[in-house]
Amino acid sequence: MGLDYFRINGGNRLRGRIRVGGAKNAALPIMAASILCEGEVILHDIPRVADVRSLCELLGKLGVESDWRSDGALRLVVRDEMNCKAEYDMVRKMRASICVLGPLLAKRHAAQISMPGGCAIGDRPIDLHLRAVQKLGAEVDLVSGDIMVKARRLRGGEMFLGGPFGSTVLGTGTAMMAACLADGLTVIEMAACEPEVVDLANFLNACGASISGQGTPRIVIEGVRRLGGCEYRIIPDRIEAGTYMVAAAITNGELLIENCRVDHLLAFIDRLSAIGVQVQKTGEGAEVTSARRLEPVDVTTQPFPGFATDLQAQLMSLLCLADGNSVITEKIFPDRFLHVAELSRMGARIRKEGPTCIVSGVKRLVGAPVMASDLRASAALVLAGLAARGTTVVNRIYHLDRGYVSMEEKLRAVGADIERRSDGDV
Ligand code: EPU
């Protein structure tokens, strides 16, 4: 079987409606949290992306049965609690496998997880996850590339979860999931405030946990004896929404983004309006209207509510066409710039200086064969291809499929000339 790629003929203005699905980065930790639950968990709006399928596979190995109901909901039920080990094969494929650490430790008193190692966007250490479980009384060992954590009983504790790049999203999740079955009170200082963290806390509370302060840097968790199941709807994917907002802007088009939480995208929308792109909140979501002339802007990625690192690459594609110099600084993953070299192949003028890129706007981008390197970088290349003159081929879109549901179909429905092909095709 060949690798899929996208073939895009650029230049079409996009018009119409695009519906955003549930958030991948809320879905993954919430699915992992089902390990903690003694009842059935029914999750609505789980996006059917490759990462979700990978996590279902890992959960299956950990004794959690998953099936898709006819109404599209995902049902998760714990059948067997014997296995506590996430193998290297799974963790290598998807770093979010680390989400099972907290739940396994809390519910099964031990977890063995292959050390994730680096990935395309940087080093991605897990020291803060480990600090969290140690503060709850777990023992941590590293044995031939595996992290082993164990504790007969977790005790609530106070922890500071800030690192050199600020708070940690999944690390805050690990702490919350481990602490909700611990004895007594846990306080997480410098907790991540991302909407996906809030969604996880709300899910855990719906199962019987007692968590407060989610959405602020101080989360307080009162341990409970057990968690039941629940039926829960995942929040809309703010990164998918932001990606399609750029699709409207970069093609000088007009899109109504449905199922979009504008309050989760304030920093991003602020930058879009500085560029001259209008975003109007409507009853159904947000209406995006592009400007003929794009103003250059400065952008710095930050933890929520700052500008999301997961939208940095996409905004860079747009700024490649702005009328002047923009400065993009990456404060979360300083090496997350693999898209720069590929955008340059399309005629972009970008100079990288450490964690900063100076993007000098050009009149037009030109189609070229380019290579996707990670999920959001792939999205940026597709966006550039939509605007470029001529044909762009984005190779290795398996990266894109990890986090976007049928991107090419959604874009085609609003007027893009884009198709998925496979290396094996003639
Ligand atoms: N960090 C540490 N130590 C840790 C954990 C993180 O130093 O133990 C550092 C990281 O290296 C980084 C910063 O802290 O510099 C923030 O990383 P964070 O832990 O918040 O990232 P994450 O939780 O592993 C999630 C998303 C990423 C998103 C980041 C930042 C999921 C599954 N992943 O990762 O999403 O970029 O938060 O918002 O939720 C994506 O969807 O494409 C993606 C990469």
Side-chain angles (χ1 to χ4, degrees):
M1 206 178 65
L3 291 179
D4 285 4
Y5 63 91
F6 280 167
R7 190 184 161 87
I8 307 166
N9 291 314
N12 291 5
R13 288 174 76 165
L14 304 190
R15 274 175 200 285
R17 296 162 174 253
I18 291 191
R19 190 173 176 78
V20 167
K24 167 189 78 96
N25 289 349
L28 298 173
I30 288 176
M31 287 166 62
S34 67
I35 291 173
L36 293 163
C37 297
E38 286 171 27
E40 191 177 72
V41 170
I42 310 281
L43 299 174
H44 295 277
D45 266 358
I46 295 280
R48 294 205 193 194
V49 292
D51 275 6
V52 162
R53 283 192 292 274
S54 300
L55 186 56
C56 282
E57 196 186 320
L58 172 58
L59 288 174
K61 292 185 174 158
L62 295 171
V64 183
E65 181 185 285
S66 59
D67 56 81
W68 295 95
R69 297 198 321 188
S70 55
D71 64 355
L74 179 67
R75 196 178 64 101
L76 298 161
V77 188
V78 177
R79 294 289 181 208
D80 171 5
E81 300 199 285
M82 290 300 283
N83 191 10
C84 296
K85 184 170 176 189
E87 310 268 358
Y88 183 56
D89 256 12
M90 291 304 312
V91 181
R92 192 175 45 98
K93 200 152 82 179
M94 186 182 56
R95 298 186 43 94
S97 305
I98 192 72
C99 291
V100 301
L101 175 86
L104 287 176
L105 175 66
K107 191 68 174 46
R108 304 183 191 179
H109 314 292
Q112 181 175 351
I113 296 187
S114 180
M115 187 76 177
C119 76
I121 67 175
D123 289 346
R124 316 217 40 197
I126 56 162
D127 56 309
L128 296 171
H129 295 252
L130 301 182
R131 187 194 295 175
V133 294
Q134 275 170 325
K135 289 285 180 192
L136 298 174
E139 265 177 52
V140 177
D141 276 315
L142 182 65
V143 182
S144 56
D146 285 359
I147 301 282
M148 316 265 267
V149 295
K150 58 174 193 268
R152 247 222 300 269
R153 193 76 210 139
L154 292 173
R155 291 180 315 275
E158 280 187 23
M159 60 184 83
F160 175 80
L161 282 194
F165 300 99
S167 51
T168 163
V169 176
L170 293 180
T172 303
T174 295
M176 288 195 302
M177 290 188 278
C180 63
L181 291 182
D183 285 333
L185 206 70
T186 295
V187 180
I188 309 172
E189 300 284 3
M190 200 152 167
C193 301
E194 270 70 4
E196 293 76 15
V197 173
V198 176
D199 213 30
L200 173 61
N202 292 347
F203 165 79
L204 291 167
N205 282 346
C207 295
S210 175
I211 303 177
S212 57
Q214 59 271 33
T216 78
R218 185 168 204 263
I219 295 179
V220 179
I221 304 143
E222 224 182 292
V224 296
R225 292 205 85 78
R226 57 178 293 274
L227 295 185
C230 77
E231 189 160 349
Y232 193 80
R233 185 173 298 277
I234 306 290
I235 52 167
D237 195 316
R238 62 194 167 107
I239 309 302
E240 188 189 13
T243 302
Y244 292 129
M245 285 181 180
V246 175
I250 206 166
T251 62
N252 201 10
E254 257 180 57
L255 289 178
L256 178 66
I257 316 287
E258 295 175 336
N259 193 34
C260 157
R261 289 275 303 262
V262 167
D263 57 324
H264 291 168
L265 280 159
L266 293 180
F268 181 68
I269 292 171
D270 172 72
R271 293 296 76 195
L272 283 184
S273 37
I275 293 170
V277 177
Q278 278 182 30
V279 180
Q280 204 77 42
K281 190 173 169 194
T282 70
E284 296 156 285
E287 212 166 68
V288 186
T289 323
S290 188
R292 224 155 254 294
R293 178 172 180 275
L294 303 173
E295 299 286 342
V297 296
D298 292 352
V299 186
T300 301
T301 64
Q302 285 172 325
F304 190 83
F307 188 98
T309 171
D310 288 347
L311 284 168
Q312 177 256 110
Q314 297 91 316
L315 197 80
M316 183 182 288
S317 292
L318 183 63
L319 291 175
C320 285
L321 293 167
D323 199 359
N325 294 334
S326 300
V327 179
I328 301 181
T329 303
E330 178 55 68
K331 288 251 169 108
I332 308 293
F333 296 112
D335 296 325
R336 194 177 199 175
F337 284 122
L338 286 175
H339 41 288
V340 168
E342 301 301 303
L343 287 172
S344 303
R345 290 173 53 77
M346 301 177 71
R349 283 179 51 207
I350 306 165
R351 194 157 58 86
K352 185 175 165 312
E353 295 273 350
T356 296
C357 283
I358 296 124
V359 183
S360 305
V362 292
K363 283 254 165 327
R364 65 178 58 86
L365 294 171
V366 281
V370 288
M371 192 79 86
S373 54
D374 72 80
L375 169 54
R376 309 303 171 186
S378 321
L381 297 176
V382 172
L383 294 168
L386 293 174
R389 176 191 281 177
T391 304
T392 297
V393 171
V394 184
N395 289 298
R396 300 201 178 172
I397 52 162
Y398 57 85
H399 288 292
L400 195 109
D401 292 332
R402 291 185 45 202
Y404 290 91
V405 178
S406 338
M407 181 186 262
E408 76 281 18
E409 285 166 29
K410 290 189 181 186
L411 288 172
R412 212 169 30 236
V414 292
D417 182 349
I418 176 171
E419 59 178 4
R420 178 185 291 261
R421 293 190 180 180
S422 171
D423 268 351
D425 293 355
V426 254

